[in-house]
Amino acid sequence: MVINSILNPIAIKIGALQIRWYGIFIATAVLLAVWLSLREARRQKLNEDLLYDLILWSIPLAIISARIYYVVFQWSYYQHHLGEIVAIWDGGIAIYGALLGGGTFIFCFCRRHQLSIWQIFDIAAPTVIMAQGIGRWGNFMNQEAYGAITSRNFLQRLQLPSWLIQQMEISGFYRQPTFLYESMWDLTGFVLLMVMRHSNQLFKRGEVFLAYVMWYSFGRFFVEGMRTDSLMWGSLRVSQGLSVLLFIGALALICWRRRQQPTLNWYWPSKLKE
């Protein structure tokens, strides 16, 4: 039960219709990511019809995958509340579920249409991590994805505004704003990845995406360790375990590609098939 909140999670209410800030932040993040990705795709003169098909399928599949991932690891609750499985507006989607589901679809789509998988991933990576950073503010409005009990003095020493501090008073205790830590990490990653993408003489095709995987998983590992609402598999925090695997896998792949494929195309890659 959430109490002592000064910010209403419901942005608009018309009769029985409720539009939550959580949904607004998520939708805004997705739309901005799509717009920026399409701008970059046009700059690279890619086939827009294929890109629109890719977007129209990948976004809903990513959202569905994010919800399924969350429900699976919270099945002890949802098995007794089956009607709440579709209540995505109340929160409860897992970023890693979205990345795994959406990424798998994009991989299969590119293979089917003979598109450059690395090129598509490199275009998407900076905007995806930007969307993740924006989306975390939906958690803030729902008072979720928070950390351990702390003091108001600690939050004030972080130079946080009073409205943010007050929102972190949950069930009578002030909490670590882990949503904020991850949001700042993600938005910093967005800037770094954009710099990488435009440093076209330094990085090979696919390395912007692999850098995204490493950056996000590294930060998520530590932020996840601070959270009190982690998805668990026994005594293991699922997101921490997955972060370790992804970080090691991405780093190993970069090293392997640099060593075994020295003639691999550098940025910018060739155009997609028209």
Side-chain angles (χ1 to χ4, degrees), residues 57-253:
W57 282 98
S58 62
I59 291 177
L61 287 173
I63 295 173
I64 292 171
S65 299
R67 184 60 171 177
I68 291 174
Y69 183 103
Y70 182 84
V71 169
V72 166
F73 288 106
Q74 293 279 31
W75 185 244
S76 60
Y77 173 83
Y78 284 103
Q79 65 180 331
H80 303 297
H81 303 83
L82 297 178
E84 296 182 22
I85 290 178
V86 299
I88 193 172
W89 49 86
D90 288 330
I93 59 176
I95 294 297
Y96 271 139
L99 297 178
L100 293 173
T104 299
F105 172 78
I106 292 173
F107 178 86
C108 294
F109 185 94
C110 290
R111 289 291 298 271
R112 178 179 180 182
H113 294 280
Q114 298 181 332
L115 307 179
S116 169
I117 296 169
W118 291 121
Q119 185 175 10
I120 294 295
F121 280 169
D122 280 350
I123 290 173
T127 60
V128 168
I129 200 170
M130 176 210 63
Q132 290 172 237
I134 296 173
R136 280 300 173 195
W137 286 87
N139 297 134
F140 168 71
M141 294 302 301
N142 276 1
Q143 291 188 302
E144 57 189 9
Y146 52 79
I149 293 173
T150 186
S151 67
R152 185 180 181 92
N153 286 337
F154 173 82
L155 298 177
Q156 288 175 333
R157 288 198 299 270
L158 295 179
Q159 302 300 312
L160 300 178
S162 59
W163 55 266
L164 194 155
I165 293 174
Q166 186 61 35
Q167 186 75 352
M168 296 315 299
E169 185 180 359
I170 302 169
S171 298
F173 299 96
Y174 288 100
R175 297 285 186 160
Q176 287 275 3
T178 48
F179 87 93
L180 178 64
Y181 303 154
E182 185 173 331
S183 178
M184 296 300 99
W185 180 261
D186 291 346
L187 295 176
T188 301
F190 166 67
V191 174
L192 294 176
L193 292 176
M194 290 296 286
V195 171
M196 281 185 64
R197 197 165 71 183
H198 291 280
S199 300
N200 55 2
Q201 298 301 317
L202 299 176
F203 302 101
K204 292 175 179 283
R205 181 191 304 179
E207 290 186 350
V208 171
F209 168 72
L210 293 173
Y212 155 72
V213 174
M214 292 177 62
W215 179 269
Y216 178 70
S217 59
F218 183 85
R220 181 61 185 270
F221 177 86
F222 291 101
V223 173
E224 191 68 25
M226 301 173 66
R227 287 176 57 170
T228 58
D229 61 345
S230 297
L231 298 178
M232 305 296 291
W233 185 20
S235 60
L236 174 69
R237 293 176 188 260
V238 177
S239 292
Q240 279 193 314
L242 190 53
S243 292
V244 171
L245 293 177
L246 289 173
F247 182 88
I248 294 174
L251 178 60
L253 191 52

Side-chain angles (χ1 to χ4, degrees), residues 23-43:
I24 291 175
F25 275 109
I26 297 296
T28 300
V30 170
L31 291 174
L32 184 57
V34 168
W35 177 66
L36 290 175
S37 294
L38 286 174
R39 281 192 61 187
E40 179 60 25
R42 292 190 188 101
R43 194 172 80 85

